[in-house]
Amino acid sequence: MGRYRRGNMKGNNLSDVKKANRQVVYECIWSHKAVTMTDIAYMTHLSRPTVTSLVQEMTADNLVVKSGYGTSNGGRNPVLYHANAGAAYAMGIDLEFPKVRMAISNLECENICFSVRVYPRDTDKDQMIRLLKQQMDDLIQDSGIDRSRLLGVGMGIPGVIDYKQNHSVLFERIEGWENVPIGDIIQRYVGKPVYICNDVNLLSWAERKAAHLEDVQNMLYIVIRSGIGMAIWTDGSLMQGEMGNSGRIGHMTVDKNGLECKCGSRGCLGLYTSEKAMMRIYSELTGKEIKQAGDLVPLAESGDKAALQVFETCGRYLGIGIVNVANLFDISEVVVSASFDVSYILRNAQYALDVRKMNTIRREVKIREGLLAESGFGLGGCLLVLDKEHMSLLEG
């Protein structure tokens, strides 16, 4: 077993020392799942009486629970302890709009309860905030947890954000949504810490957990939604940028003579690869409207030539975009996700990659389909809260 360092002991205040020791013991129990008093003392370098006292305190606080008995080396079998994953909870919000997905997780980020709602497309800023509060209240009620046991809320927001100020700077799809201090608004409402982040960044966090990719140090995570976005992981850390807006590949030029974009450029990636783009292209080819991009999948499976052409166009341009970012960041692991089956798109994207092999990073770029289910889209926000607030439980 590994050895743990004691906490920061710079101060000579006995209270500070106890707090530091308490954190070290809790982290030891949390990371080892089931551990004895003797093991804790060995790994933390703390005395057995100190460990016993702290574990008893945390058991009384419901942070630690007994989980059975270990193997005896003589005498009674030692008691095993593990951290109580139900000691507190986190809420995550994926604000895609018009779909809004929410989830509540325990400390292990296991999904306790989730909801998916589709808001009216003409919802303005004030209506949006009211609807968010109502959905949050309903989810807490449905989960059956006490609101006081909620550690905080993590919000994934599209558009331009300032995560340091907890502001949503611009969300074009919602009327009047500009420079909205959404983090502060929700924090005042729930009375708990609220953190905001780019929506794709939080989805990538949830994807890494769902697909067991936490040990993948470098990866690009691309999500096809109303727009298209990307999260960048380097050396095991999420790249956020100065305000939290890194990875905005939707306005990368992939065809200099292509369609004109509202940003003022031509041939932006999002004009060919987003859900809105796919719906538009299909309509242009057939004169027919579809309600959502996912409707193209059964059409393609039935041999619909227009649907297959949409996926070919989307995949070809996506492949060009992946070549660009793989070269730029020197990353060969790529995950592509959507709320529908993207296998047709990925086949065409892989072809686009293959024909450009000589221009890539001279090693195989691996594209895989995301595994995160829609019920887990809010878990990225939960992970953000747990990362920020988990250890605050020890201060209670």
Side-chain angles (χ1 to χ4, degrees), residues 73-376:
N73 293 322
R76 290 183 297 179
N77 290 343
V79 176
L80 292 170
Y81 294 89
H82 74 265
N84 180 14
Y89 299 88
M91 178 182 285
I93 300 174
D94 176 43
L95 204 165
E96 183 181 4
F97 189 79
K99 270 193 176 183
V100 177
R101 306 169 181 92
M102 297 186 182
I104 291 178
S105 81
N106 62 15
L107 295 177
E108 291 277 10
C109 203
E110 295 168 330
N111 206 336
I112 302 300
C113 192
F114 71 92
S115 69
V116 181
R117 292 186 181 176
V118 180
Y119 294 1
R121 290 186 179 274
D122 61 354
T123 299
D124 63 23
K125 180 195 71 174
D126 294 333
Q127 292 170 326
M128 185 72 189
I129 293 171
R130 286 197 296 271
L131 290 170
L132 283 173
K133 291 176 179 178
Q134 184 62 59
Q135 188 174 351
M136 292 170 66
D137 288 342
D138 291 344
L139 183 63
I140 293 172
Q141 182 175 352
D142 291 345
S143 72
I145 71 167
D146 191 299
R147 188 183 291 256
S148 66
R149 297 174 69 188
L150 197 65
L151 283 176
V153 180
M155 301 183 68
I157 302 178
V160 181
I161 67 167
D162 183 345
Y163 80 100
K164 295 177 181 177
Q165 300 296 323
N166 252 359
H167 278 212
S168 176
V169 178
L170 181 63
F171 193 173
E172 294 177 344
R173 278 175 274 149
I174 301 175
E175 183 182 350
W177 192 287
E178 190 170 343
N179 293 318
V180 178
I182 188 63
D184 296 338
I185 291 170
I186 299 300
Q187 185 163 308
R188 285 194 297 270
Y189 183 70
V190 298
K192 300 289 182 177
V194 175
Y195 301 95
I196 73 167
C197 188
N198 172 269
D199 61 328
V200 177
N201 284 346
L202 289 190
L203 287 171
S204 75
W205 209 338
E207 174 70 33
R208 284 169 66 84
K209 183 173 179 62
H212 306 291
L213 298 174
E214 293 99 332
D215 293 333
V216 176
Q217 295 293 295
N218 304 294
M219 65 174 276
L220 302 172
Y221 180 75
I222 297 173
V223 179
I224 298 171
R225 313 188 91 179
S226 296
I228 182 169
M230 178 178 69
I232 307 156
W233 287 81
T234 61
D235 297 326
S237 297
L238 179 64
M239 180 185 295
Q240 293 239 59
E242 291 185 1
M243 295 172 62
N245 298 298
S246 64
R248 290 173 58 82
I249 60 169
H251 294 289
M252 172 191 295
T253 299
V254 290
D255 184 351
K256 66 180 181 179
N257 298 315
L259 299 171
E260 185 175 352
C261 181
K262 61 184 178 181
C263 74
S265 298
R266 285 187 174 275
C268 291
L269 182 63
L271 294 174
Y272 307 99
T273 56
S274 67
E275 290 186 1
K276 289 170 63 177
M278 286 186 276
M279 293 166 67
R280 186 202 73 240
I281 295 170
Y282 186 79
S283 177
E284 291 172 350
L285 291 171
T286 65
K288 301 175 183 178
E289 302 289 336
I290 54 174
K291 293 183 178 181
Q292 55 190 6
D295 293 340
L296 292 169
V297 176
L299 290 172
E301 290 173 342
S302 68
D304 186 296
K305 292 183 179 180
L308 291 169
Q309 186 174 337
V310 171
F311 286 142
E312 190 279 329
T313 299
C314 178
R316 174 161 47 87
Y317 282 109
L318 179 61
I320 295 171
I322 290 174
V323 167
N324 290 338
V325 293
N327 279 326
L328 182 63
F329 295 105
D330 189 20
I331 294 176
S332 59
E333 189 83 23
V334 181
V335 177
V336 177
S337 183
S339 60
F340 57 91
D341 181 1
V342 294
S343 56
Y344 283 98
I345 295 173
L346 296 195
R347 283 198 289 271
N348 287 290
Q350 188 63 59
Y351 176 76
L353 281 174
D354 291 342
V355 299
R356 291 168 175 79
K357 269 185 178 177
M358 296 305 295
N359 297 324
T360 66
I361 51 182
R362 297 300 177 97
R363 63 180 184 272
E364 183 183 1
V365 176
K366 303 173 185 176
I367 309 178
R368 69 174 79 182
E369 184 172 357
L371 299 180
L372 184 66
E374 186 176 29
S375 61

